[in-house]
Amino acid sequence: MSNRTLAISESIYQYLCDHSLREDPILKELRDHTYDMEERAMQIAPEQGQFMQMLIKLIGAKNTIEVGVFTGYSSLAIALALPEDGRIVACDVNPQYTSVAEKFWVSAGVREKIDLRIGPARNTLSELISDGLTGTFDFAFIDADKVNYDHYYELCLELIRPGGLITVDNVLWGGATADDSINDTDTTSIRALNDKLHRDERIDLSLVPIGDGLTLAMKCG
Ligand code: SAM
Ligand code: CA
């Protein structure tokens, strides 16, 4: 028994997966496809995808944002959890990655739910604000270049409605954020955002040790 978060050994992780994962076959197919790519570690873990699907359903999310698509695993998981009229504005700069994503979105029958915007996400999010969409989104997932995390957070906070949820990926960064001797720009960017969010009274906060660390930031009403 433990009254602190358990360290997850290989066997505990296996048990967790064996006793909770319900990965949709199309998500599994996309995971297998991405496994052959050198950049495969960029993809979220399946248990994290399932957790995010539950969050989406819990808050009844309809309008969502994804910052960082890659081959589309997290956007596909989000799309599958959304209602029929749910939408995702999905941001990425790399059309090679997103061409894989599009293929799987089509196979899964969710292509219509996803508004793919190729270009720097800071521009895309700023455009949404200029288009008058401030306060109209329910959920955002931030998982692109780490040096821009603070900008993505601030822009998403503007776009999200009170009671809506921003999720930020890789906040533990393989343990680097907790290690003062590691000070590359990715690590210091994530660490700075973690520090800021801890003090940020505009949100309710939880840092969940799933995957590489997922922060939940709920915008206060
Ligand atoms: N969420 C994805 C998944 O679960 O498969 C993984 C996203 S991957 C970690 C990060 C993505 O951010 C890459 O596909 C990369 O092309 C994209 N990216 C990098 N810089 C960006 C920028 N300035 N604007 C938008 N996307 C960017
Ligand atoms: Ca990630």
Side-chain angles (χ1 to χ4, degrees), residues 97-221:
Y97 291 156
T98 59
S99 65
V100 177
E102 284 188 278
K103 192 170 134 243
F104 281 86
W105 297 340
V106 170
S107 304
V110 298
R111 185 65 191 88
E112 301 303 300
K113 291 181 175 177
I114 303 172
D115 175 4
L116 176 62
R117 310 270 186 108
I118 298 294
R122 279 173 71 177
N123 296 353
T124 303
L125 298 174
S126 300
E127 277 161 27
L128 296 175
I129 291 169
S130 325
D131 290 346
L133 296 176
T134 294
T136 64
F137 288 88
D138 307 298
F139 177 90
F141 178 50
I142 298 175
D143 189 22
D145 51 320
K146 309 312 173 201
V147 289
N148 278 311
Y149 259 30
D150 187 46
H151 295 289
Y152 298 146
Y153 170 70
E154 287 297 334
L155 290 163
C156 285
L157 195 60
E158 235 181 294
L159 287 162
I160 290 281
R161 65 166 165 86
L165 189 64
I166 299 174
T167 56
V168 186
D169 201 30
N170 303 105
V171 293
L172 295 177
W173 206 225
T177 47
D179 183 342
D180 290 346
S181 70
I182 304 177
N183 288 297
D184 59 90
T185 50
D186 285 344
T187 304
T188 55
S189 303
I190 301 169
R191 193 182 286 143
L193 182 63
N194 289 344
D195 289 347
K196 171 173 152 172
L197 295 196
H198 192 197
R199 297 186 307 267
D200 193 337
E201 293 184 352
R202 298 172 296 175
I203 53 159
D204 286 330
L205 175 70
S206 183
L207 195 167
V208 183
I210 191 167
D212 195 26
L214 181 72
T215 284
L216 311 186
M218 188 177 83
K219 184 170 172 173
C220 295

Side-chain angles (χ1 to χ4, degrees), residues 30 34 39-45 48 52 66-75 91-95 97-98 117-124 141-146 148-149 152 169-170 173:
L30 173 53
T34 308
E39 306 92 323
R40 61 178 173 264
M42 295 211 292
Q43 188 171 63
I44 60 163
Q48 180 179 338
M52 287 166 49
E66 172 168 270
V67 183
V69 174
F70 184 42
T71 57
Y73 189 97
S74 45
S75 40
C91 314
D92 207 289
V93 280
N94 186 324
Y97 291 156
T98 59
R117 310 270 186 108
I118 298 294
R122 279 173 71 177
N123 296 353
T124 303
F141 178 50
I142 298 175
D143 189 22
D145 51 320
K146 309 312 173 201
N148 278 311
Y149 259 30
Y152 298 146
D169 201 30
N170 303 105
W173 206 225

